[in-house]
Amino acid sequence: MSKGRDLRYFDYVNQPYEKVRAALVKDAVPVFTAATTGASARADAVAAQLKLEIGVIKVGTDIAITVHSVGDLPKVGKQAPGTRIVFEWKAKEAARLFPLMRASLDIYPLTASETQLDFSGHYEVPLGLFGGAIDAVVGYRVAEATIHRFVDEVAEHLRTTLK
């Protein structure tokens, strides 16, 4: 695998931090999976998928999401409390053909009724120099769009289920 790249993105949930934290700490994988499955369902798929469309060619794969740890964010000054979920996703099959994403999702309160989701990740590009060339042309934009969609879908899932 090549060096890869770092990605960041954030979104907000109009729910109190305690509710968002409880939903994600209880078991983040079903929330992440429900969110990505929801996005895929709207695209006529039935599983969480990484997808790439180049013209009329569609390449996609089911993904496996693994949570490695859930813990408190380090407190700095008068900063509000927060939680970090460290996870990764990779293709369920032919994983060597798709990027591996290692990431964390930090959640913390913005106000009494609004919570921020802050994604920070690093993806590793497969296929050596060939993968690096693909990444330089389109891969980074695809990875960026994928994490934007992922965070947006997690936020939307939480907005609609935590009423």
Side-chain angles (χ1 to χ4, degrees):
M1 294 206 177
S2 76
K3 183 179 171 190
R5 296 195 195 193
D6 295 327
L7 297 164
R8 295 226 38 206
Y9 188 68
F10 63 91
D11 200 347
Y12 307 96
V13 179
N14 58 345
Q15 292 291 327
Y17 166 75
E18 293 78 18
K19 278 182 145 181
V20 173
R21 182 187 189 285
L24 290 171
V25 167
K26 180 179 178 185
D27 198 354
V29 172
V31 174
F32 293 166
T33 302
T36 57
T37 301
S40 294
R42 286 190 292 282
D44 299 318
V46 294
Q49 286 198 335
L50 296 174
K51 284 184 155 183
L52 170 60
E53 294 182 27
I54 304 171
V56 296
I57 300 171
K58 293 181 183 180
V59 178
T61 187
D62 291 347
I63 60 171
I65 301 170
T66 304
V67 172
H68 295 291
S69 65
V70 177
D72 295 332
L73 286 171
K75 189 168 174 78
V76 179
K78 294 183 179 184
Q79 168 189 321
T83 302
R84 174 169 289 155
I85 302 166
V86 178
F87 65 101
E88 71 180 27
W89 72 57
K90 62 183 176 181
K92 284 185 179 179
E93 295 181 19
R96 295 183 353 191
L97 300 177
F98 293 91
L100 166 67
M101 177 67 72
R102 291 191 173 102
S104 63
L105 185 68
D106 293 351
I107 57 173
Y108 49 89
L110 293 174
T111 67
S113 61
E114 192 171 45
T115 303
Q116 181 157 331
L117 306 177
D118 189 358
F119 177 99
S120 179
H122 179 84
Y123 72 97
E124 296 177 7
V125 180
L127 305 175
L129 291 175
F130 178 71
I134 292 171
D135 185 59
V137 175
V138 296
Y140 181 75
R141 289 190 306 266
V142 170
E144 196 171 49
T146 300
I147 65 110
H148 287 202
R149 183 171 149 187
F150 173 78
V151 174
D152 290 347
E153 292 295 333
V154 168
E156 184 60 26
H157 176 78
L158 292 166
R159 283 183 202 108
T160 58
T161 61
L162 295 180
K163 292 186 176 190

